[in-house]
Amino acid sequence: MRLTLRLALLSLLSSALAQDAPGATTQKHEFQSDVARLRNIVINSLYSHRDVFLRELISNANDALEKLRITSLTDKTVLNDPLNITIKLIPDEHGGRVVITDYGIGMGPEELSTNLGTLAKSGTSDFLKKAEGDAPGDTSSLIGQFGLGFYSSFLVSDKVYVASIPHPSKANPNPTQHVFSSVSDEASFEIYPDPRGNTIGRGTEITLVLKEDAKDYLDEAKIRALVEKHSAFSTSYPIYLFTRKTEEIPDPDYVPTEEEQIEFTDAEEEEESKDEVNIKVDVDEDEAVVEDVTETKEAPEEEKKKPVIPLKNVTTEEWVQLNDQPPLWTRDSKNVTQEEYDLFYRATFKDHNNPLALHQFKGDSGSGESFKALFFIPPALGPEFWQSPKPDTKGIRLMVKRVFITDDLGDDALPKWVSWLRAVVDADDLPLNVSRETLQSTRFLRQIKQVLIRRLISLLTRIAEEEPEKFKKITETYGPALKLGAMEGGKDQKKLAALARWDTNTRKFIGLEEYVASRKKGQTQIFYLAAVGKKPEELSGSVFVEKLHARGYEVLLLTDPMDEILVAQLKSWKGLTFQDAAKKGLKFGDEDTNPEDEKAEEARLEEKFKPLLTWLKEEAKDTVLDVVISNRLVTSPCAIVSDTYGYSANMEKLMASQVSKGVRGTDFMHDWAKKQKFLEINPRSPLIEGLLTRVIEMNDDKDEEDERELKEAASILIDGALVRSGFEVPDSNLFFTRMDRVLRRSLGVSQSAKASDSVKPAPPVEDTPLPESPAKEVSLDEDEKLPTESEEAEALFGDFPDIPGKVRIDADDFLKQYDRSEYVQKREAEEEAKQKEHEHDEL
């Protein structure tokens, strides 16, 4: 009730404070030496943006309220009214005023002179010394430096009034309200009793007379936005804004004429006639039911229009609380509901959806600065994450004692892979510059960045163990980003790699720990197969997986672009090395169980298929390095396998995409890696058996036709192996031409038969000339001029001597028909080509 009366009283005080008080009671003071000069620096140079005046004055008001609260711990009589801060915007013909009031400790005339008349002089330090000696309690949240923050008010105003009255005490049971007034360009200030009397009751009222260019601070929406950005959590006390809202309502003072009164009466009777009528229906007692039947009269064809009551603009005034969202990170997480967290996230980070997960904690940065933090995993990863190479630097809202400092950490922002994280970090103390806008040292930022990353990894690890379905949802969105973090290396690489998940040929959504835990006896390799963009189901049917699958081994199916690069960087996991199923070096781990039998079998197959291996090696010498017997194929006749240090099919496509963008390494190394391929043949395949028989027969009895057909079949076999292994054929047109001939033979179609090429011819040549287009305008830089005709001739033809027996080109005749704009285009193209060549040389 007292709060309502007090706010109502403040709303009535719309007249300006008196600029002059009675001469006998007005005290004029000169600022201390050099204070006027320093104040001018504060006003004109200290702050980078004048919006911060509101942040500083609210922080000062919070100090005053906190001082009163601490005083009340020993003197219960001082806290007889609620503690709050109010803001009132008063437009007038002179530009307008902003009035900021707190109902805190208040100041007498001596304190006004000491605290406001001396720059950066604050009563906070002296007050704390006295309070700590007499009263317990946490006083660490006081911000101090009242005087310096107060002078930020001159950023938006030329004249400032501060009316203040302290709470009654034994030494001063009937305090008087005094006013401090100061003008920005004067070296003095005045203190006098407030001619209005005691209008505040207790506390301080600051009135800013706005500059002509600061009228936009009378906009309620702007003040709301500034409080939300800088001070929504800077105080635990309510901040109220006096608002006005104009609405159109029917004029209550309107008196209708006699005719209008009759129309009103008829309209009311017509409405009453449409009321519902309840009818009771009687039936047999055994089946007695009472039903409500609604009957309405049909609307007349032409309804009479009701008389219209004139509208009247009515302005309503109310106090609206601006900081209704409490600083959740300062509360015990056990006492905060999920709904409160969700509401806070949506309001703070401007998201329409709830976060996927969150974590609240407090700690020490390692260099002495304690802090509280609250971070969220957003519900979605925006497309800009992958489109922009630079990380988002505005994911962390840094605060000091609940006062917003910045949300752009620049070089100290989170790394790219985790730049999507949204966090609030509230430090108890930081080495800020005097305007509280810039950190003096970035050591804390570097440390807090590592703390957030470690906490995030710990949170994800816990969710993976305790809430697998929730972790699966997070991985669907952020799995590639986590892999990017592991791929970038660093001390967290192993932890991030442990969070990566893949499908296999036997299971879905498993990590490296699960894979290693289910390895076969003697297995020393982690088998994987990579193909960007393919579905795991397609990869599981690859020729490279068939024997591994048939024997019961598990193969990781990598479908993300960075997967293969990641495993190449990891090299091993828990002692097991990564092995590409599409490369040489595949070992099952049980080769030593029966070595003699296996070696004998390998020797027998080598000897048996030696003619075919020799012949195929010659036929495929432009495609592969060698042809060998395979130990990985079961049903497929052959496959193209990369060497250990060569490009797999997936890596070759990735490198080709980089080459198309102009990014490539040494041409020699790139071409060398592409050629490191082997053709593996399956000795158990009927097709290979048949090919061996034909090669032996051809060696015994040379027949050119048979040899040509056999070579064609071998070429199709090799190209088919390339396609099935994920590579591209060297010449797709030649491949399909061979396929066409084979299909013709199998279908009994003549090899020389041709498709009908009779098509409708094109119309005759157009003999009507096109109209001449106007000369093309060419825009040139100021320092660039078109060459003269002689210069053009020199550029086009050079200084050629006359050639005996030849006709000399007449440059003048040619230039008459030469469009000069074409010359400009030619020169621009040449310059662009030179620039590209220069960039290529630099690379």
Side-chain angles (χ1 to χ4, degrees), residues 744 752-760:
R744 283 171 180 262
S752 59
K754 295 183 180 180
S756 175
D757 57 356
S758 59
V759 294
K760 181 180 179 180

Side-chain angles (χ1 to χ4, degrees), residues 92 116 216 502 544 677 702 760 821:
D92 57 33
L116 303 186
D216 53 333
W502 296 279
F544 303 113
K677 299 183 181 72
K702 292 286 185 180
K760 181 180 179 180
S821 64

Side-chain angles (χ1 to χ4, degrees), residues 415-481:
K416 173 67 178 178
W417 72 268
V418 73
S419 59
W420 41 264
L421 194 69
R422 296 292 175 258
V424 175
V425 177
D426 185 7
D428 292 338
D429 190 21
L430 279 183
L432 301 173
N433 70 349
V434 74
S435 68
R436 294 197 281 196
E437 294 183 89
T438 308
L439 283 172
Q440 300 284 41
S441 172
T442 59
R443 184 182 178 188
F444 172 80
L445 294 182
R446 291 193 297 269
Q447 292 168 334
I448 197 63
K449 176 169 64 175
Q450 294 303 319
V451 171
L452 286 174
I453 291 175
R454 288 200 303 268
R455 288 281 184 162
L456 173 64
I457 294 174
S458 177
L459 173 67
L460 293 175
T461 303
R462 179 180 59 78
I463 294 176
E465 295 173 355
E466 300 175 3
E467 302 175 82
E469 289 301 319
K470 184 176 182 179
F471 182 69
K472 187 173 183 179
K473 187 175 181 180
I474 294 174
T475 304
E476 288 174 356
T477 304
Y478 295 101

Side-chain angles (χ1 to χ4, degrees), residues 85-145:
I85 303 169
T86 63
I87 304 172
K88 189 174 183 181
L89 312 176
I90 306 175
D92 57 33
E93 64 277 5
H94 301 295
R97 287 164 288 147
V98 176
V99 181
I100 301 174
T101 308
D102 70 76
Y103 302 102
I105 194 72
M107 293 177 285
E110 296 81 8
E111 292 171 304
L112 284 171
S113 176
T114 302
N115 294 344
L116 303 186
T118 303
L119 194 65
K121 171 64 179 177
S122 173
T124 300
S125 300
D126 296 336
F127 176 81
L128 282 177
K129 292 179 181 178
K130 297 178 181 179
E132 289 173 348
D134 300 330
D138 181 13
T139 58
S140 61
S141 61
L142 293 176
I143 295 180
Q145 297 300 318

Side-chain angles (χ1 to χ4, degrees), residues 304-512:
K304 295 181 180 180
K305 295 184 178 179
K306 297 179 183 180
V308 178
I309 300 176
L311 299 178
K312 179 181 180 180
N313 288 334
V314 176
T315 300
T316 58
E317 299 177 341
E318 64 175 338
W319 292 93
V320 177
Q321 185 175 349
L322 302 182
N323 60 338
D324 52 352
Q325 289 290 322
L328 297 185
W329 61 88
T330 63
R331 297 163 55 186
D332 189 343
S333 59
K334 297 178 181 177
N335 300 326
V336 184
T337 65
Q338 183 64 43
E339 184 178 356
E340 288 179 300
Y341 280 125
D342 293 342
L343 183 61
F344 172 81
Y345 169 78
R346 295 198 304 269
T348 304
F349 297 104
K350 304 299 182 293
D351 199 334
H352 299 295
N353 300 311
N354 296 329
L356 296 177
L358 61 93
H359 183 50
Q360 179 182 346
F361 64 97
K362 60 182 178 180
D364 190 289
S365 64
S367 56
E369 296 91 352
S370 58
F371 66 91
K372 298 180 181 69
L374 173 62
F375 68 72
F376 299 89
I377 298 178
L381 187 62
E384 66 277 358
F385 178 83
W386 297 110
Q387 294 173 358
S388 173
K390 297 182 179 179
D392 181 4
T393 61
K394 296 188 176 183
I396 300 177
R397 293 175 61 88
L398 179 63
M399 312 184 88
V400 177
K401 295 181 180 178
R402 302 188 303 278
V403 177
F404 175 78
I405 302 301
T406 183
D407 62 355
D408 190 350
L409 302 184
D411 295 337
D412 292 310
L414 292 171
K416 173 67 178 178
W417 72 268
V418 73
S419 59
W420 41 264
L421 194 69
R422 296 292 175 258
V424 175
V425 177
D426 185 7
D428 292 338
D429 190 21
L430 279 183
L432 301 173
N433 70 349
V434 74
S435 68
R436 294 197 281 196
E437 294 183 89
T438 308
L439 283 172
Q440 300 284 41
S441 172
T442 59
R443 184 182 178 188
F444 172 80
L445 294 182
R446 291 193 297 269
Q447 292 168 334
I448 197 63
K449 176 169 64 175
Q450 294 303 319
V451 171
L452 286 174
I453 291 175
R454 288 200 303 268
R455 288 281 184 162
L456 173 64
I457 294 174
S458 177
L459 173 67
L460 293 175
T461 303
R462 179 180 59 78
I463 294 176
E465 295 173 355
E466 300 175 3
E467 302 175 82
E469 289 301 319
K470 184 176 182 179
F471 182 69
K472 187 173 183 179
K473 187 175 181 180
I474 294 174
T475 304
E476 288 174 356
T477 304
Y478 295 101
L482 297 177
K483 293 174 184 176
L484 177 62
M487 194 176 70
E488 289 177 354
K491 59 183 179 181
D492 296 318
Q493 183 182 54
K494 293 290 185 181
K495 295 179 181 178
L496 288 171
L499 294 171
R501 296 292 184 268
W502 296 279
D503 289 348
T504 72
N505 56 317
T506 58
R507 291 186 289 175
K508 291 183 177 296
F509 199 69
I510 73 161
L512 295 174

